[in-house]
Amino acid sequence: AHASNEMEEREGVAQFDAAIAADPKFAAAYAGRARALASVAAGYGSAAEIKLNNDAAIASARRAIELAPRLAEAHSALALILFQGQFDAKSALAPFNLSRNLGEGDAPVLARFAAYCASTGRHDEALPAIKRAILLDPLNALIHRILGIVHFAAKRYPEAILAIQETLKLSPNLPETYSRIGMVLLALNKNGDALKAFQKEPHKWSKLAGIAIVEHRLGNRTRAEAAMTELADDTDTVSYYQQGQVWAQWGNTDRAMAELRLARTQRDAGLIAVQYDPMLAPLRARPDFINLLKSMGFD
């Protein structure tokens, strides 16, 4: 799973609902509602609730496109949900490309396009789009964090750390930011520094997964297992993707694959990093892992 701020996201949905009630033909409000629903789905709830929110988000994005066929934000919202909510990288490609062409002046649209390109290995397209987004909105912490993802996916690890540090300057308490630095440091085998980064992470399951991996590497099995137990016992959130990362790094590739299959069926949005995540390196040669990638529309 990956996190957003639940109260704010749910409040966002309510505000867009109010805007639509006031003006049922307000295309931008349908697009905004779709995005807010997608964020709620990505961060919270049971599998059934995730599916409900994703389905509502798709309907809302399609309505926005119907009302305003050239609204970049509408195509961007649809593409985001097809990718992150339906795990359909192929179907997301056309609306993402269209959003990029229509959204030259829209920083969040460009940033979402860049994140998609990074996740699907289109590194040559990801970097110019995210750099343009930062030019348009230089003080947006989330956009700097996506620059970090773009670099991380392309294995430009030092650049990834710099971008994520910039994110923290702009928004010191942004969830899932220290843990991203931790993941880069793990990829560089800087385990002591990675542990320090994970310990600063406010977001529970990113923190626990990171600690479970790094403590295991450092030979502290008891601490590693305690973190993993706490992660697995929290059934209020969908953290199958993170559990898959931990099992892969612990060398239990069968268990890791079982968790990733659960992530797929339970719609854990963390799965969109599956193609580039260095924590999953032990799985890459497995036929069932290759099949998982294919089933999600990754080439």
Side-chain angles (χ1 to χ4, degrees), residues 6 10 40-50 53 235-238 266:
E6 183 172 13
R10 290 191 189 276
V40 173
Y44 317 98
S46 65
E49 199 183 344
I50 290 169
N53 282 322
T235 51
D236 290 342
T237 50
V238 173
Q266 303 298 310

Side-chain angles (χ1 to χ4, degrees), residues 1-15 35-45 84 142 145 171 173-177 180 201-205:
H2 72 129
S4 42
N5 186 329
E6 183 172 13
M7 288 291 290
E8 282 177 24
E9 300 294 357
R10 290 191 189 276
E11 179 57 29
V13 175
Q15 287 173 355
R35 229 184 38 257
L37 283 164
S39 289
V40 173
Y44 317 98
Q84 171 186 293
L142 292 169
R145 193 173 69 183
S171 182
N173 302 313
L174 188 66
E176 278 207 305
T177 305
R180 289 180 192 276
E201 172 58 56
H203 178 250
K204 185 178 167 186
W205 62 86

Side-chain angles (χ1 to χ4, degrees), residues 8 36 62 71 91 122-123 147 167 178 182 196 232 237 239 266 287 297:
E8 282 177 24
R62 291 201 191 281
L71 181 64
S91 294
R122 296 164 67 193
H123 304 300
L147 175 62
T167 305
Y178 278 108
K196 285 179 199 154
T237 50
S239 68
Q266 303 298 310

